[in-house]
Each structure stands twice: as structure tokens, then as C-alpha cells.
Amino acid sequence: MIHKEVPIGVSARHIHLSDEHVELLFGKGYTLTEMKPLSQPGQYAANETVAVVGPKGTFAKVRILGPTRKRTQLEVSRTDAFALGVNPPVRESGDIAGSAGITLQGPAGEIKIEEGVIVAARHIHFHTSDAERFGIGDKQSLRVRFSGERGVVFENVIARVSEQYALDMHIDTDEANAAGVKNGDTAEIVD
Amino acid sequence: MIHKEVPIGVSARHIHLSDEHVELLFGKGYTLTEMKPLSQPGQYAANETVAVVGPKGTFAKVRILGPTRKRTQLEVSRTDAFALGVNPPVRESGDIAGSAGITLQGPAGEIKIEEGVIVAARHIHFHTSDAERFGIGDKQSLRVRFSGERGVVFENVIARVSEQYALDMHIDTDEANAAGVKNGDTAEIVD
């Protein structure tokens, strides 16, 4: 039996912005600047941050990830959501219809988005070659084991397969803390 | 096969104080007052709170649970620990040797404890009769499944059996958020 080991990437709260929202928050003609590349090819952490203001709390500096997307999307943990006072659904990235709203503040302006706040559903990015090697298909639901003192098996882990992806499992800070793992640790796909 | 269902109790950050520390924080001769009873017989949430001050952050109001104990013990989630700037070990309640220290502030004084800060290891309280019914022994390590959208199986769940206990599984806020569960939901002991 093949040992299906995947590296873990822990996602802290972050935001993806549309071109329109970058200009509303940072000024006409502004473009994001890269601070450092992320594990997925072409993706990067920007130097820029925004303030996120909820009914109960505020995060002063939420990192923007680039490049810009078609629609603005804020990804938070459930713990973050309680602190902000919002109730976002657990969703796959991009699936934001009917999700929670929030207020964003940048140096050039403030906007209120009606939807776009989600708790990201845990998932694994597979390059097509990894998926073939492991015998896993796009959108397949997986069970993934984290061993150690706080050992857990996460169910309902979504497989996402593309030639654009690098092998990486994405979980949020609640999930990482509950499992006692950190960036660069590894997990094993059970089935 | 018997269905081993247990109710879930989510523990937010809280503190147990020694008699000596109650007096140092609240004044000579002070005794805690009960706000509401907890699931375990004789245990209660007190009206009183303390401020917890770490090198990186502060929680202004941490609930005290009574009655007093032999030694002061602060229980936080890993998320809380990062916010405070401390690095407590995952431990069973009462096992605080070599754990993290912190500063506590009350209306009458401030104290610095050298140890006593832990991340509580998840566990299930069984009344002796529940343990017999389920065929489970004290200190046994269990696997427990939470179903639903964020379904997980927690491994290394410690069984604690006593005639003083009521059936209840205790997890912290990181674990509850990662599993998408809340107080009063139920979990199932797998083995």
C-alpha cells in the first residue's frame, strides 16, 4: 500500500481582494506588492494589510493574499468569527453566495461587503501527478490523520486537483491548534 | 454493539485558584461566590474573574471555577496561549509540574505564578455506572467521533472514572471550533 503523506500548511486569517476593492481601499490605480511567495504557484502574501471591523471586534492588520481575484473573500477561523461577531459558513474557496458580510478599512477608504466572509473548508491541493500517484480524484472527500499527542482524523477533507497546484493540505488555525500541528508538519491520507 | 454516546462540554479559558491566591487577589478572608453550577457535581462558575497578563497579551476577565483547589491552574486553548505569548504543555488537570507561568491580577493584588498554565488534554468524565455500562476503565485512551460538516475523530481522549463524576466530554474551544460543535452536542466513542 502506498503511503500517502502530505505537507500541512496552516492558514491564518487572510483576505483576497478584487481589483475594484484594492482601488477603493488603497487608492485609484494602486496595485498590490509581493512580500513573499506562497506554496501554491503564482500566489503570494502582499505587503499590504486591511483592517477588518465586525460588530463585536476588529483585526487591525489582516494580510492580503495576491494576485487579485474576481470577488473579495475574507477567510477566518471560527475563533476569529466569534471575536468579530460574525457567523460565516464553512465553505470552499470561491463559494461565497449568502456568506457573511463585514467592513474593510484601508488607507484610502472603507467598504462594507454584503458577503465574502467564510470559514475555509479544509482541503488538499494536489498536482495532477500527485493525484494520479495516490489514486485520488478532484472533489473526492478524504479522511486525513494527524498523529501525535493531540492526534486526530479529519473527515470531509476536499481533494482539489490541478496542474496549477502543489501538494499541500490547508487547515485553519483552530484545526492546527486542535491537532497540535504547525506549518511544515505532515499528515497521512487514510482513505 | 452498544452505542456509546457522550454529551460534549466546551471549556473556554478558565482558572482554578488556591485559597491562598484567592486572598492575595481578592483580599484577606475573601471567599468565592457561586454564579452557576457546572456539569460536574459540586463544581461551579464563580462570579469572580481575574485578569491574566502574558508577555504578548492580556485577557481582562478570566472566569474562576470553584471550589478552590490545592494549587492554582489556568487552562487555555493553544490560540489563547499564542495571544498571551506563553507556551503551556498539553496536560491532564492537576499535572502542572514544569508547566508555564503567568501573571494574575485581582482587585486586591497581583501574583506571578511560576507554573500552573496548561492546555487541558481532552478527556471524558464517566460516572462509575457509565464506565461499567460502556466497558471502559479509568485512564483508558479512547477515540471519539464527532460527525457533521467538520467531522473529526479525536484520538488520545483520556477516560476519567469516578463516583463523583457525571458523564461529559471536555474539549477546549480550538477543538470545538475545529470540529464545528458546541455545548450540548454529542459525540460517539469509537473504541
Side-chain angles (χ1 to χ4, degrees):
Chain A
M1 208 183 89
I2 180 171
H3 188 66
K4 302 172 185 172
E5 198 171 84
V6 293
I8 299 165
V10 181
S11 299
R13 70 183 82 100
H14 63 271
I15 192 164
H16 305 277
L17 292 177
S18 66
D19 286 324
E20 183 200 349
H21 286 169
V22 169
E23 291 203 334
L24 285 169
L25 293 165
F26 292 90
K28 190 79 186 157
Y30 194 91
T31 52
L32 298 175
T33 59
E34 178 169 337
M35 182 175 71
K36 62 172 184 183
L38 300 176
S39 66
Q40 296 307 309
Q43 306 293 305
Y44 61 88
N47 290 299
E48 293 80 6
T49 61
V50 293
V52 173
V53 182
K56 279 185 57 186
T58 294
F59 294 122
K61 289 189 174 191
V62 173
R63 183 68 49 195
I64 302 171
L65 303 190
T68 54
R69 293 193 177 182
K70 205 156 180 165
R71 303 191 62 192
T72 290
Q73 176 175 297
L74 173 67
E75 299 179 38
V76 296
S77 70
R78 183 63 61 201
T79 298
D80 292 338
F82 284 127
L84 290 168
V86 295
N87 188 21
V90 176
R91 291 282 181 83
E92 281 188 74
S93 186
D95 177 18
I96 61 170
S99 60
I102 201 93
T103 297
L104 308 175
Q105 295 173 337
E110 170 177 308
I111 50 178
K112 185 170 180 350
I113 56 171
E114 296 303 320
E115 60 186 22
V117 186
I118 64 169
V119 174
R122 51 199 175 222
H123 57 276
I124 302 177
H125 293 273
F126 296 89
H127 185 266
T128 316
S129 61
D130 299 312
E132 276 174 18
R133 181 161 56 96
F134 291 160
I136 284 167
D138 192 37
K139 304 284 179 196
Q140 192 175 334
S141 178
L142 305 169
R143 293 197 312 143
V144 181
R145 182 162 186 271
F146 295 57
S147 57
E149 183 177 49
R150 297 194 118 184
V152 303
V153 176
F154 284 121
E155 304 183 341
N156 308 332
V157 178
I158 303 160
R160 297 174 58 189
V161 180
S162 164
E163 296 202 342
Q164 310 301 318
Y165 292 157
L167 185 64
D168 209 18
M169 174 166 187
H170 287 175
I171 58 176
D172 71 14
T173 46
D174 286 338
E175 293 167 326
N177 290 338
V181 297
K182 57 186 189 314
N183 259 325
D185 288 347
T186 58
E188 189 187 353
I189 300 170
V190 179
D191 54 36
Chain B
M1 207 184 90
I2 181 172
H3 188 66
K4 301 172 186 173
E5 198 172 86
V6 292
I8 299 164
V10 181
S11 299
R13 71 183 81 102
H14 64 272
I15 191 164
H16 305 279
L17 292 177
S18 66
D19 286 325
E20 182 199 352
H21 287 169
V22 169
E23 292 202 334
L24 286 170
L25 293 166
F26 291 92
K28 189 80 187 155
Y30 195 91
T31 52
L32 298 175
T33 60
E34 178 168 337
M35 183 175 71
K36 63 172 182 182
L38 300 176
S39 67
Q40 295 309 308
Q43 304 293 305
Y44 61 87
N47 290 299
E48 293 80 5
T49 60
V50 293
V52 173
V53 182
K56 278 185 57 185
T58 295
F59 294 122
K61 289 188 174 193
V62 173
R63 183 67 50 194
I64 302 170
L65 303 191
T68 53
R69 293 195 178 181
K70 204 155 180 166
R71 303 190 62 192
T72 289
Q73 175 174 300
L74 172 67
E75 299 179 38
V76 297
S77 70
R78 183 64 59 198
T79 298
D80 292 338
F82 284 126
L84 290 168
V86 294
N87 187 21
V90 176
R91 291 281 181 85
E92 281 189 73
S93 186
D95 178 17
I96 61 170
S99 60
I102 201 95
T103 297
L104 309 174
Q105 295 173 337
E110 171 177 308
I111 48 178
K112 184 168 181 354
I113 56 172
E114 295 304 319
E115 59 185 24
V117 185
I118 64 170
V119 174
R122 52 200 175 221
H123 58 275
I124 302 178
H125 292 274
F126 295 89
H127 185 266
T128 316
S129 62
D130 298 312
E132 277 173 18
R133 182 162 55 96
F134 290 161
I136 283 166
D138 191 37
K139 304 285 179 196
Q140 192 175 333
S141 178
L142 305 168
R143 293 196 313 141
V144 181
R145 183 164 185 270
F146 295 59
S147 57
E149 183 176 50
R150 296 193 120 184
V152 302
V153 176
F154 284 120
E155 305 183 341
N156 308 334
V157 179
I158 303 160
R160 296 174 58 188
V161 179
S162 164
E163 295 202 343
Q164 311 300 318
Y165 292 156
L167 185 64
D168 209 18
M169 174 166 186
H170 288 176
I171 58 176
D172 71 14
T173 46
D174 286 337
E175 293 167 326
N177 291 338
V181 297
K182 57 187 190 313
N183 259 324
D185 287 349
T186 59
E188 188 187 353
I189 299 171
V190 179
D191 54 37

